[in-house]
């Protein structure tokens, strides 16, 4: 697969570069370039990222960072069994536990929420940093919902991290998940409150909290470039214009 011309391989993290030092120089450079492409494309074109990850894996399957990257690339294209195998391999090589939550989520993806929930109670969770523990809580709540235990999912997400006013990288996603769980059990007013809190914390646009708020408020968005919408507006009797606008986009 072609590598972008501006990619040199030097963009990778120092830890990854150190792992690649066990390889011949030219091979290490090729692997590094493919890993950079994986990172670059994982969100915008996961299928392409998966292709680059497979190349890196073929070149250097004994490097932990390569196995981890291959796992995330497989996860992004919903190849959960493959992703789980790669994450397990990376964990065996390093002895680290940071992949435990995404491994549990792979179990969910494979239709085994009970296994994911069991993993949430394993000693490995205590070895995770705060971000990892929050991630594990999100996975456990998702597993509860998979099993039809919506009320239990709400309880699972209730935590000191949820109540904290501190803004962390995971704050918006945690609040969003809690709002969504509340909505599922019919607590719409509370859900709206927590979607608003999620939006407040979501500086990077990681969630669609603004859309969910608008939906709860009954706001409808019309595509200004949609000819059908324009035709409907032109054929109207003007009543809506007399009454004033129905609403405005929330939080935009």
């Amino acid at each position: 697969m072609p590598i972008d011309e501006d990619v040199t391989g030097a963009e990778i993290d120092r830890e990854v570069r150190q792992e690649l030092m066990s390889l011949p120089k030219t091979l290490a450079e090729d692997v590094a370039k493919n890993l950079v492409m994986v990172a670059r494309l994982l969100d915008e074109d996961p299928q392409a990222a998966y292709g680059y990850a497979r190349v890196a894996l073929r070149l250097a399957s004994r490097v932990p960072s390569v196995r981890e990257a291959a796992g995330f690339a497989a996860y992004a294209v919903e190849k959960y069994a493959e992703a789980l195998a790669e994450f397990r391999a990376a964990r065996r090589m390093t002895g680290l536990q940071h992949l435990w939550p995404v491994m549990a989520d792979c179990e969910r993806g494979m239709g085994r929420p009970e296994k994911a929930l069991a993993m949430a109670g394993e000693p490995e969770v205590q070895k995770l940093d705060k971000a990892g523990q929050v991630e594990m809580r999100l996975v456990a709540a998702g597993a509860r919902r998979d099993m039809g235990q919506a009320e239990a999912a709400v309880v699972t997400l209730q935590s000191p991290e949820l109540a904290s006013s501190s803004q962390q990288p995971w704050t918006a996603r945690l609040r969003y998940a809690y709002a969504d769980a509340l909505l599922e059990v019919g607590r719409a007013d509370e859900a709206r409150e927590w979607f608003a809190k999620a939006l407040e914390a979501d500086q990077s646009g990681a969630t669609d909290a603004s859309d969910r708020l608008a939906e709860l408020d009954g706001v409808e968005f019309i595509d200004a470039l949609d000819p059908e919408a324009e035709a409907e507006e032109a054929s109207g009797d003007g009543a809506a214009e007399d009454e004033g606008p129905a609403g405005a986009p929330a939080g935009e």
Side-chain angles (χ1 to χ4, degrees), residues 127-177:
K127 301 175 184 178
L128 297 171
D129 61 13
K130 182 61 66 176
Q133 290 180 6
V134 169
E135 197 66 36
M136 193 70 245
R137 190 177 291 276
L138 289 168
V139 173
R144 290 288 190 188
R145 294 179 70 174
D146 293 344
M147 297 162 65
Q149 301 173 4
E151 292 285 358
V154 171
V155 174
T156 298
L157 292 167
Q158 293 170 345
S159 62
E161 294 80 17
L162 179 66
S164 174
S165 59
S166 173
Q167 299 291 315
Q168 302 294 335
W170 37 259
T171 299
R173 291 177 57 242
L174 181 59
R175 292 176 178 178
Y176 182 95

Side-chain angles (χ1 to χ4, degrees), residues 212-240:
R212 301 299 297 276
L213 276 171
E215 182 180 340
L216 286 172
D217 290 341
V219 176
E220 294 185 11
F221 294 93
I222 297 177
D223 187 348
L225 301 178
D226 184 352
E228 292 185 7
E230 290 182 2
E232 280 186 22
E233 185 175 349
S235 64
D237 59 9

Side-chain angles (χ1 to χ4, degrees), residues 172-226:
R173 291 177 57 242
L174 181 59
R175 292 176 178 178
Y176 182 95
Y178 187 56
D180 200 37
L182 287 169
L183 194 60
E184 185 174 357
V185 298
R187 295 160 63 177
D189 290 343
E190 292 174 81
R192 192 200 181 285
E193 176 187 348
W194 281 97
F195 277 129
K197 290 182 178 180
L199 180 60
E200 180 182 289
D202 192 0
Q203 302 300 318
S204 63
T207 74
D208 64 347
S210 61
D211 293 341
R212 301 299 297 276
L213 276 171
E215 182 180 340
L216 286 172
D217 290 341
V219 176
E220 294 185 11
F221 294 93
I222 297 177
D223 187 348
L225 301 178
D226 184 352

